[in-house]
Amino acid sequence: MANEQSIHGIWTARWTFVLAATGSAVGLGNIWKFPYMTGVNGGGAFVLVYLVCIACIGMPILLAEVLLGRRGRASPINTMHSLAAEARATPFWGGIGWMGAVAGVLILSFYSVVGGWVVAYCWLALKGGFTGQTAEQVAATFSDLLANPQALIAWHTLFLAMTMGVVVRGIHKGLELAVQIMMPGLFLMLLGLLFYVMTLDAFPQGFAFMFSADFSKLNGDSVLSALGHSFFSLSLGMGAIMAYGAYMARERHLGKTVLIIGTLDTLAALMAGLVIFTIVFQNGLEPAAGPALMFQTLPLAFGKLPGGMLIGTVFFILVTFAAWTSAISLGEPAVAWAVESRRLSRLQASLILGVLVWALGVACALAFNHWSHITISMGDLFTLNIFDFLDKLTTNIMLPLGGLLICIFVGWVMDSAIVRKEADLHHPLLYRSWLFLVRFVAPAGILMVMLNPLFQ
Ligand code: PHE
């Protein structure tokens, strides 16, 4: 047990894990999804619940997942199998890995469609498509894109090909390079945009929308969304971080590492939110516009900025990279498993996964046009199109459930001496607080939020 290497290799340096995990965490979840969910759920109160979920549930589980991966040194499915055997527990714990790999495939299918929108916007920005546009024109550009199935499928295909292209090459070539250059660029750009919107009259309004909590706008559903999104944003509950943890060398500062990843992820989301909501209020737009929000606001700002064509292009390229580095981590668990256990080459495994995800992604793309009438419903609980259904199923159910099982496994099933050693938290108080969160607070929180709809 406790191998020192996985068959897929090891990160070249301590920072590479931080970069890769941050690359996985920071993505469309921060820049596209967080602002629009905040808008739909009424603002500040949602943000507050989200931050509490990140701090009390997300971060402790982040550490637990890294710990599992580094101990198991294999794909999440095989890691969970071998750690269950080590703990003399039922092999059913392997189910965490299975559910995660499936969740990864499902998320990647709709993620790749949105990734495609972002790539399309790089192209639009480069053509000068935003210059001098009114809010109505910008909104029309986006709805035209959604109404065009060929374009959506083509952009989705391109984004997915980019993603699988890196997964095929394994963890060193591609991924490490992409995060090293692009992540700092993205943060600088967000910071630059933040400084820009601070000069606008509507900044106080955008700020208030994000940070003044009106709890009357909150209901069970939005609390579940906040919890689910904290998992989505930190890439938790489906094995992405576990898979990356498997490629990590031994080190002594796991706590610090996890803190850095969580902080960067949260900062990226908050900055994106402030930028987007200031533009919303500056232009009299609707904060609850839903998935269209980012695509209806940012182009407006770029259209007005001097040099906006260049800034807009660079910005959307950086968002593409953020989405790309996240998408890679969505595919890695399934591919790593197929290579280990099905004796497929990385190429074969990536091709099979790619075709599967592509087909599901096409269905998601068609949900915005030809198939918009097709919905999946469950009594009064929900009626959703395919795109929204996959999003809700994974974000609100599969990821929190995976997180819950991870807490129970690490907190209650694994040998506590091993957990203590692998957690690498040297300060006893720190270790005990973390264990308390993993054993009690996180599972109770997840259960309460998830079961709540049943009692309403
Ligand atoms: N965390 C990524 C984002 O915010 C999405 C993701 C979810 C990636 C789950 C891996 C696993 O965009």
Side-chain angles (χ1 to χ4, degrees), residues 280-308:
V280 164
F281 294 118
Q282 185 76 23
N283 294 281
L285 300 172
E286 177 52 53
L293 187 65
M294 169 178 126
F295 298 93
Q296 294 179 346
T297 47
L298 294 180
L300 265 183
F302 296 134
K304 287 184 186 149
L305 276 171

PDB file of all heavy atoms in Angstrom, residues 280-308:
ATOM      1  N   VAL A 280     -24.212  44.813 -15.610  1.00  0.00           N
ATOM      2  CA  VAL A 280     -25.667  44.616 -15.652  1.00  0.00           C
ATOM      3  C   VAL A 280     -26.385  45.898 -15.242  1.00  0.00           C
ATOM      4  O   VAL A 280     -27.260  46.407 -15.953  1.00  0.00           O
ATOM      5  CB  VAL A 280     -26.084  43.461 -14.705  1.00  0.00           C
ATOM      6  CG1 VAL A 280     -27.590  43.503 -14.426  1.00  0.00           C
ATOM      7  CG2 VAL A 280     -25.725  42.117 -15.314  1.00  0.00           C
ATOM      8  N   PHE A 281     -25.999  46.450 -14.084  1.00  0.00           N
ATOM      9  CA  PHE A 281     -26.727  47.618 -13.584  1.00  0.00           C
ATOM     10  C   PHE A 281     -26.395  48.877 -14.369  1.00  0.00           C
ATOM     11  O   PHE A 281     -27.231  49.752 -14.539  1.00  0.00           O
ATOM     12  CB  PHE A 281     -26.463  47.800 -12.084  1.00  0.00           C
ATOM     13  CG  PHE A 281     -27.043  46.656 -11.287  1.00  0.00           C
ATOM     14  CD1 PHE A 281     -26.230  45.821 -10.531  1.00  0.00           C
ATOM     15  CD2 PHE A 281     -28.406  46.391 -11.320  1.00  0.00           C
ATOM     16  CE1 PHE A 281     -26.764  44.758  -9.813  1.00  0.00           C
ATOM     17  CE2 PHE A 281     -28.955  45.323 -10.619  1.00  0.00           C
ATOM     18  CZ  PHE A 281     -28.129  44.511  -9.865  1.00  0.00           C
ATOM     19  N   GLN A 282     -25.178  48.959 -14.840  1.00  0.00           N
ATOM     20  CA  GLN A 282     -24.783  50.120 -15.636  1.00  0.00           C
ATOM     21  C   GLN A 282     -25.651  50.225 -16.897  1.00  0.00           C
ATOM     22  O   GLN A 282     -25.940  51.307 -17.365  1.00  0.00           O
ATOM     23  CB  GLN A 282     -23.304  49.991 -16.020  1.00  0.00           C
ATOM     24  CG  GLN A 282     -22.729  51.181 -16.750  1.00  0.00           C
ATOM     25  CD  GLN A 282     -22.450  52.350 -15.796  1.00  0.00           C
ATOM     26  OE1 GLN A 282     -22.288  52.165 -14.602  1.00  0.00           O
ATOM     27  NE2 GLN A 282     -22.411  53.559 -16.337  1.00  0.00           N
ATOM     28  N   ASN A 283     -26.061  49.080 -17.422  1.00  0.00           N
ATOM     29  CA  ASN A 283     -26.783  49.080 -18.686  1.00  0.00           C
ATOM     30  C   ASN A 283     -28.258  48.726 -18.545  1.00  0.00           C
ATOM     31  O   ASN A 283     -28.920  48.431 -19.541  1.00  0.00           O
ATOM     32  CB  ASN A 283     -26.119  48.115 -19.664  1.00  0.00           C
ATOM     33  CG  ASN A 283     -24.727  48.576 -20.057  1.00  0.00           C
ATOM     34  OD1 ASN A 283     -24.582  49.456 -20.902  1.00  0.00           O
ATOM     35  ND2 ASN A 283     -23.710  48.037 -19.418  1.00  0.00           N
ATOM     36  N   GLY A 284     -28.751  48.735 -17.322  1.00  0.00           N
ATOM     37  CA  GLY A 284     -30.170  48.435 -17.118  1.00  0.00           C
ATOM     38  C   GLY A 284     -30.563  47.035 -17.545  1.00  0.00           C
ATOM     39  O   GLY A 284     -31.667  46.814 -18.044  1.00  0.00           O
ATOM     40  N   LEU A 285     -29.646  46.071 -17.409  1.00  0.00           N
ATOM     41  CA  LEU A 285     -29.967  44.698 -17.807  1.00  0.00           C
ATOM     42  C   LEU A 285     -30.576  43.932 -16.640  1.00  0.00           C
ATOM     43  O   LEU A 285     -30.654  44.424 -15.513  1.00  0.00           O
ATOM     44  CB  LEU A 285     -28.703  43.979 -18.293  1.00  0.00           C
ATOM     45  CG  LEU A 285     -28.008  44.604 -19.502  1.00  0.00           C
ATOM     46  CD1 LEU A 285     -26.688  43.919 -19.761  1.00  0.00           C
ATOM     47  CD2 LEU A 285     -28.910  44.516 -20.720  1.00  0.00           C
ATOM     48  N   GLU A 286     -30.947  42.700 -16.940  1.00  0.00           N
ATOM     49  CA  GLU A 286     -31.645  41.856 -15.982  1.00  0.00           C
ATOM     50  C   GLU A 286     -30.627  40.919 -15.296  1.00  0.00           C
ATOM     51  O   GLU A 286     -30.007  40.097 -15.969  1.00  0.00           O
ATOM     52  CB  GLU A 286     -32.675  41.041 -16.787  1.00  0.00           C
ATOM     53  CG  GLU A 286     -33.478  40.042 -16.033  1.00  0.00           C
ATOM     54  CD  GLU A 286     -34.145  40.621 -14.806  1.00  0.00           C
ATOM     55  OE1 GLU A 286     -34.863  41.643 -14.926  1.00  0.00           O
ATOM     56  OE2 GLU A 286     -33.928  40.056 -13.726  1.00  0.00           O
ATOM     57  N   PRO A 287     -30.446  41.027 -13.955  1.00  0.00           N
ATOM     58  CA  PRO A 287     -29.459  40.142 -13.311  1.00  0.00           C
ATOM     59  C   PRO A 287     -29.842  38.672 -13.383  1.00  0.00           C
ATOM     60  O   PRO A 287     -28.983  37.803 -13.333  1.00  0.00           O
ATOM     61  CB  PRO A 287     -29.427  40.622 -11.850  1.00  0.00           C
ATOM     62  CG  PRO A 287     -30.584  41.530 -11.682  1.00  0.00           C
ATOM     63  CD  PRO A 287     -31.014  42.001 -13.024  1.00  0.00           C
ATOM     64  N   ALA A 288     -31.134  38.394 -13.532  1.00  0.00           N
ATOM     65  CA  ALA A 288     -31.573  36.997 -13.533  1.00  0.00           C
ATOM     66  C   ALA A 288     -31.683  36.435 -14.947  1.00  0.00           C
ATOM     67  O   ALA A 288     -32.545  35.623 -15.241  1.00  0.00           O
ATOM     68  CB  ALA A 288     -32.905  36.873 -12.799  1.00  0.00           C
ATOM     69  N   ALA A 289     -30.797  36.875 -15.836  1.00  0.00           N
ATOM     70  CA  ALA A 289     -30.899  36.458 -17.240  1.00  0.00           C
ATOM     71  C   ALA A 289     -30.562  34.989 -17.456  1.00  0.00           C
ATOM     72  O   ALA A 289     -30.782  34.451 -18.535  1.00  0.00           O
ATOM     73  CB  ALA A 289     -30.003  37.328 -18.110  1.00  0.00           C
ATOM     74  N   GLY A 290     -29.995  34.327 -16.450  1.00  0.00           N
ATOM     75  CA  GLY A 290     -29.668  32.905 -16.618  1.00  0.00           C
ATOM     76  C   GLY A 290     -28.375  32.701 -17.390  1.00  0.00           C
ATOM     77  O   GLY A 290     -27.511  33.596 -17.427  1.00  0.00           O
ATOM     78  N   PRO A 291     -28.239  31.535 -18.032  1.00  0.00           N
ATOM     79  CA  PRO A 291     -26.981  31.167 -18.683  1.00  0.00           C
ATOM     80  C   PRO A 291     -26.471  32.200 -19.688  1.00  0.00           C
ATOM     81  O   PRO A 291     -25.287  32.211 -20.026  1.00  0.00           O
ATOM     82  CB  PRO A 291     -27.318  29.855 -19.399  1.00  0.00           C
ATOM     83  CG  PRO A 291     -28.449  29.279 -18.615  1.00  0.00           C
ATOM     84  CD  PRO A 291     -29.227  30.444 -18.091  1.00  0.00           C
ATOM     85  N   ALA A 292     -27.350  33.066 -20.177  1.00  0.00           N
ATOM     86  CA  ALA A 292     -26.922  34.045 -21.170  1.00  0.00           C
ATOM     87  C   ALA A 292     -26.128  35.193 -20.545  1.00  0.00           C
ATOM     88  O   ALA A 292     -25.465  35.957 -21.248  1.00  0.00           O
ATOM     89  CB  ALA A 292     -28.136  34.591 -21.902  1.00  0.00           C
ATOM     90  N   LEU A 293     -26.193  35.309 -19.205  1.00  0.00           N
ATOM     91  CA  LEU A 293     -25.715  36.518 -18.527  1.00  0.00           C
ATOM     92  C   LEU A 293     -24.311  36.980 -18.956  1.00  0.00           C
ATOM     93  O   LEU A 293     -24.122  38.105 -19.377  1.00  0.00           O
ATOM     94  CB  LEU A 293     -25.756  36.295 -17.007  1.00  0.00           C
ATOM     95  CG  LEU A 293     -25.453  37.533 -16.162  1.00  0.00           C
ATOM     96  CD1 LEU A 293     -26.517  38.593 -16.365  1.00  0.00           C
ATOM     97  CD2 LEU A 293     -25.381  37.169 -14.675  1.00  0.00           C
ATOM     98  N   MET A 294     -23.341  36.074 -18.869  1.00  0.00           N
ATOM     99  CA  MET A 294     -21.967  36.471 -19.195  1.00  0.00           C
ATOM    100  C   MET A 294     -21.854  36.949 -20.648  1.00  0.00           C
ATOM    101  O   MET A 294     -21.157  37.916 -20.951  1.00  0.00           O
ATOM    102  CB  MET A 294     -21.037  35.285 -18.975  1.00  0.00           C
ATOM    103  CG  MET A 294     -19.657  35.492 -19.524  1.00  0.00           C
ATOM    104  SD  MET A 294     -18.623  34.059 -19.171  1.00  0.00           S
ATOM    105  CE  MET A 294     -18.067  33.683 -20.796  1.00  0.00           C
ATOM    106  N   PHE A 295     -22.600  36.281 -21.528  1.00  0.00           N
ATOM    107  CA  PHE A 295     -22.464  36.577 -22.951  1.00  0.00           C
ATOM    108  C   PHE A 295     -23.219  37.841 -23.346  1.00  0.00           C
ATOM    109  O   PHE A 295     -23.058  38.357 -24.437  1.00  0.00           O
ATOM    110  CB  PHE A 295     -22.946  35.378 -23.773  1.00  0.00           C
ATOM    111  CG  PHE A 295     -22.127  34.145 -23.504  1.00  0.00           C
ATOM    112  CD1 PHE A 295     -22.515  33.227 -22.542  1.00  0.00           C
ATOM    113  CD2 PHE A 295     -20.938  33.940 -24.179  1.00  0.00           C
ATOM    114  CE1 PHE A 295     -21.747  32.102 -22.278  1.00  0.00           C
ATOM    115  CE2 PHE A 295     -20.160  32.821 -23.918  1.00  0.00           C
ATOM    116  CZ  PHE A 295     -20.561  31.907 -22.964  1.00  0.00           C
ATOM    117  N   GLN A 296     -24.084  38.331 -22.451  1.00  0.00           N
ATOM    118  CA  GLN A 296     -24.819  39.564 -22.751  1.00  0.00           C
ATOM    119  C   GLN A 296     -24.206  40.777 -22.066  1.00  0.00           C
ATOM    120  O   GLN A 296     -24.594  41.896 -22.350  1.00  0.00           O
ATOM    121  CB  GLN A 296     -26.269  39.442 -22.284  1.00  0.00           C
ATOM    122  CG  GLN A 296     -27.029  38.403 -23.050  1.00  0.00           C
ATOM    123  CD  GLN A 296     -28.447  38.280 -22.547  1.00  0.00           C
ATOM    124  OE1 GLN A 296     -28.782  38.773 -21.474  1.00  0.00           O
ATOM    125  NE2 GLN A 296     -29.282  37.613 -23.322  1.00  0.00           N
ATOM    126  N   THR A 297     -23.287  40.527 -21.135  1.00  0.00           N
ATOM    127  CA  THR A 297     -22.746  41.657 -20.391  1.00  0.00           C
ATOM    128  C   THR A 297     -21.327  42.000 -20.828  1.00  0.00           C
ATOM    129  O   THR A 297     -21.042  43.139 -21.197  1.00  0.00           O
ATOM    130  CB  THR A 297     -22.730  41.343 -18.887  1.00  0.00           C
ATOM    131  OG1 THR A 297     -22.187  40.050 -18.687  1.00  0.00           O
ATOM    132  CG2 THR A 297     -24.118  41.405 -18.303  1.00  0.00           C
ATOM    133  N   LEU A 298     -20.435  41.027 -20.788  1.00  0.00           N
ATOM    134  CA  LEU A 298     -19.036  41.324 -21.071  1.00  0.00           C
ATOM    135  C   LEU A 298     -18.820  41.953 -22.451  1.00  0.00           C
ATOM    136  O   LEU A 298     -18.087  42.933 -22.560  1.00  0.00           O
ATOM    137  CB  LEU A 298     -18.176  40.068 -20.880  1.00  0.00           C
ATOM    138  CG  LEU A 298     -18.126  39.591 -19.425  1.00  0.00           C
ATOM    139  CD1 LEU A 298     -17.272  38.346 -19.288  1.00  0.00           C
ATOM    140  CD2 LEU A 298     -17.588  40.690 -18.509  1.00  0.00           C
ATOM    141  N   PRO A 299     -19.472  41.435 -23.510  1.00  0.00           N
ATOM    142  CA  PRO A 299     -19.262  42.056 -24.816  1.00  0.00           C
ATOM    143  C   PRO A 299     -19.635  43.543 -24.814  1.00  0.00           C
ATOM    144  O   PRO A 299     -19.014  44.343 -25.523  1.00  0.00           O
ATOM    145  CB  PRO A 299     -20.190  41.269 -25.746  1.00  0.00           C
ATOM    146  CG  PRO A 299     -20.299  39.934 -25.109  1.00  0.00           C
ATOM    147  CD  PRO A 299     -20.293  40.209 -23.634  1.00  0.00           C
ATOM    148  N   LEU A 300     -20.640  43.908 -24.001  1.00  0.00           N
ATOM    149  CA  LEU A 300     -21.020  45.323 -23.911  1.00  0.00           C
ATOM    150  C   LEU A 300     -19.862  46.162 -23.403  1.00  0.00           C
ATOM    151  O   LEU A 300     -19.564  47.235 -23.927  1.00  0.00           O
ATOM    152  CB  LEU A 300     -22.169  45.475 -22.920  1.00  0.00           C
ATOM    153  CG  LEU A 300     -23.586  45.500 -23.456  1.00  0.00           C
ATOM    154  CD1 LEU A 300     -24.543  45.725 -22.303  1.00  0.00           C
ATOM    155  CD2 LEU A 300     -23.732  46.582 -24.504  1.00  0.00           C
ATOM    156  N   ALA A 301     -19.211  45.645 -22.343  1.00  0.00           N
ATOM    157  CA  ALA A 301     -18.085  46.387 -21.782  1.00  0.00           C
ATOM    158  C   ALA A 301     -16.954  46.471 -22.796  1.00  0.00           C
ATOM    159  O   ALA A 301     -16.362  47.537 -23.008  1.00  0.00           O
ATOM    160  CB  ALA A 301     -17.607  45.716 -20.507  1.00  0.00           C
ATOM    161  N   PHE A 302     -16.667  45.367 -23.445  1.00  0.00           N
ATOM    162  CA  PHE A 302     -15.568  45.365 -24.426  1.00  0.00           C
ATOM    163  C   PHE A 302     -15.883  46.294 -25.587  1.00  0.00           C
ATOM    164  O   PHE A 302     -14.996  46.936 -26.149  1.00  0.00           O
ATOM    165  CB  PHE A 302     -15.300  43.952 -24.943  1.00  0.00           C
ATOM    166  CG  PHE A 302     -14.824  43.013 -23.867  1.00  0.00           C
ATOM    167  CD1 PHE A 302     -15.350  41.747 -23.729  1.00  0.00           C
ATOM    168  CD2 PHE A 302     -13.819  43.417 -22.985  1.00  0.00           C
ATOM    169  CE1 PHE A 302     -14.915  40.886 -22.732  1.00  0.00           C
ATOM    170  CE2 PHE A 302     -13.380  42.564 -21.987  1.00  0.00           C
ATOM    171  CZ  PHE A 302     -13.930  41.301 -21.860  1.00  0.00           C
ATOM    172  N   GLY A 303     -17.170  46.349 -25.946  1.00  0.00           N
ATOM    173  CA  GLY A 303     -17.569  47.211 -27.049  1.00  0.00           C
ATOM    174  C   GLY A 303     -17.335  48.679 -26.751  1.00  0.00           C
ATOM    175  O   GLY A 303     -17.164  49.491 -27.655  1.00  0.00           O
ATOM    176  N   LYS A 304     -17.338  49.020 -25.467  1.00  0.00           N
ATOM    177  CA  LYS A 304     -17.191  50.438 -25.104  1.00  0.00           C
ATOM    178  C   LYS A 304     -15.775  50.835 -24.772  1.00  0.00           C
ATOM    179  O   LYS A 304     -15.420  52.013 -24.802  1.00  0.00           O
ATOM    180  CB  LYS A 304     -18.078  50.737 -23.885  1.00  0.00           C
ATOM    181  CG  LYS A 304     -19.530  50.768 -24.246  1.00  0.00           C
ATOM    182  CD  LYS A 304     -20.391  51.153 -23.059  1.00  0.00           C
ATOM    183  CE  LYS A 304     -21.854  51.033 -23.436  1.00  0.00           C
ATOM    184  NZ  LYS A 304     -22.706  50.671 -22.332  1.00  0.00           N
ATOM    185  N   LEU A 305     -14.965  49.842 -24.396  1.00  0.00           N
ATOM    186  CA  LEU A 305     -13.594  50.141 -23.965  1.00  0.00           C
ATOM    187  C   LEU A 305     -12.722  50.534 -25.146  1.00  0.00           C
ATOM    188  O   LEU A 305     -12.845  49.943 -26.212  1.00  0.00           O
ATOM    189  CB  LEU A 305     -12.972  48.898 -23.328  1.00  0.00           C
ATOM    190  CG  LEU A 305     -13.257  48.622 -21.867  1.00  0.00           C
ATOM    191  CD1 LEU A 305     -12.733  47.244 -21.501  1.00  0.00           C
ATOM    192  CD2 LEU A 305     -12.586  49.688 -21.021  1.00  0.00           C
ATOM    193  N   PRO A 306     -11.820  51.508 -24.943  1.00  0.00           N
ATOM    194  CA  PRO A 306     -10.833  51.732 -25.993  1.00  0.00           C
ATOM    195  C   PRO A 306      -9.945  50.482 -26.088  1.00  0.00           C
ATOM    196  O   PRO A 306      -9.548  49.922 -25.070  1.00  0.00           O
ATOM    197  CB  PRO A 306     -10.036  52.947 -25.490  1.00  0.00           C
ATOM    198  CG  PRO A 306     -10.375  53.092 -24.043  1.00  0.00           C
ATOM    199  CD  PRO A 306     -11.679  52.403 -23.805  1.00  0.00           C
ATOM    200  N   GLY A 307      -9.703  50.026 -27.280  1.00  0.00           N
ATOM    201  CA  GLY A 307      -8.925  48.795 -27.453  1.00  0.00           C
ATOM    202  C   GLY A 307      -9.711  47.571 -27.053  1.00  0.00           C
ATOM    203  O   GLY A 307      -9.157  46.503 -26.805  1.00  0.00           O
ATOM    204  N   GLY A 308     -11.040  47.734 -26.989  1.00  0.00           N
ATOM    205  CA  GLY A 308     -11.895  46.649 -26.513  1.00  0.00           C
ATOM    206  C   GLY A 308     -11.825  45.397 -27.368  1.00  0.00           C
ATOM    207  O   GLY A 308     -12.017  44.284 -26.875  1.00  0.00           O
TER     208      GLY A 308
END
